[in-house]
Amino acid sequence: MSRTDRLRELDRLYVWHPFTRMREWLEGEPLIIERAQGVYLVDTDGRRYIDGVSSLWVTVHGHRKRELDRAIREQLERVSHSTLLGLGNVPSIVLAERLVSLAPEGLAKVFYSDNGSTAVEIALKLAFYYWQKKGKYEKKRFLAFTGAYHGDTIGTMSVGEIDVFVGRYRPLLFPSYRAPYPYCYRCPVGKVYPDCALACLERLEAVLKRAHRRIAACIIEPVVQGAAGMIVAPQGFLEGVRRLTKRYNVLLIADEVATGFGRTGRMFACQWEDVSPDILCLAKGITGGYLPLAATISTEPIFRAHLGTKRRPDAFYHGHTYTGNPLACSVALANLEVFEKERTLEKIKPTVALFSKLLEEFKELRHVGDVRYKGLMAGIELVQNKETKKPYRVESRMGVRVCMNARGRGVIVRPLGDTIVVMPPLSIKKRELRALLSAIYESIREVTEGARG
Ligand SMILES: *Cc1c(COP(=O)(O)O)cnc(C)c1O
């Protein structure tokens, strides 16, 4: 028995994989990653694959980035963990200052945790308590969008809306208000952009008008909804959401867990429309894909609402054991230093241009209904019938089949339903990007048209 086979057997015996149909997994031949370099993942048999989804949307400057490796090693020589409950630590302080300086205006205080779900959970608690302290006791609900994904905890599932993820847990969830996200390919209000003049915003306004007294905050994935299938909102939508939430006295929570750290071509997606949210949630790319870390950044008024008075001091009663972990904060700092030193956001412009040019070619394919992209985030939606936009039957698992086919061509991608997600590290070279997209193109052709590529 080869080493790989032995590892596979142990994996099947002991490991329960997330978002995975384990029945199928147990019958399959899972790929086991052992090493990585740049945009390549290497399996236990030495085979190389392009990491086409940045190891689930986290890798930024590539794997084994020298500066990031070094930051962790140097921090190891000092201290690996020390708590933020009642103590400060050096990297968490330096990083907080950097994050505030980069974040949209008005965001002032950094609250650390260790994953995207907790970053959002914290934002919900902050927004709720803010209004309690303001005496607006009825403001205890949230307004979220159709197709939203904000994490897997009970609170974040309550604002999420992807039925396969949250449907079965509905009895555990609290109710939320819902407004349509501009999924223009299947417009929720039946119009066509740009003639629609963003009619979906009217639906949002209707909810706000009716229920703003009961709504603490509106939560949005700005510019791109990730898990819904890389839904790219048209220009002006986010700005409209900010305008309406201000008008109706509702806080705005921007969940940039997926879009943050250059993924859309700007450091934060909110910056495309000069929007400052009241609370910003960051995770995934924050450490360049190295260690779990998240940050929830709030404005000064929200912070102040949690201070209480001299006679009755208050606190924000929340904190995870690894909050502000020094190793994670130091690699996050190194991640930001590389952005600056290599001028990453400038440098990726030609890559982004090539990406969009290559993606446009997918529209020729007989079963590609829609191609959506912003920066280096893209979704390619497969449909059974292009004229009617009729989706494939769920059980035909087209997305999965295309991605498995691509694996045979040395590419790792993961679908969301029948949308193929492409989200390479920002460091991908043009040659690598061409190889990645041509493999996906051929896989779609072969699987959906039965053509040999
Ligand atoms: C991934 C994601 C989350 C959840 O982050 P985890 O680290 O997986 O808990 C929340 N919001 C958005 C927009 C995400 O993409």
Side-chain angles (χ1 to χ4, degrees), residues 407-425:
R407 192 173 291 184
R409 300 171 195 272
V411 156
I412 306 264
V413 273
R414 248 186 93 83
L416 287 161
D418 285 337
T419 296
I420 311 299
V421 174
V422 196
M423 211 195 279

Side-chain angles (χ1 to χ4, degrees), residues 57 115-117 149-151 221 255 257-258 284:
W57 317 359
N115 65 78
S117 306
Y149 177 77
H150 298 293
E221 291 162 81
D255 177 356
V257 170
K284 291 200 169 102

Side-chain angles (χ1 to χ4, degrees), residues 395-409:
E395 278 316 305
S396 65
R397 309 199 82 206
M398 274 308 192
V400 173
R401 282 164 59 193
V402 167
C403 292
M404 289 314 288
N405 184 291
R407 192 173 291 184
R409 300 171 195 272

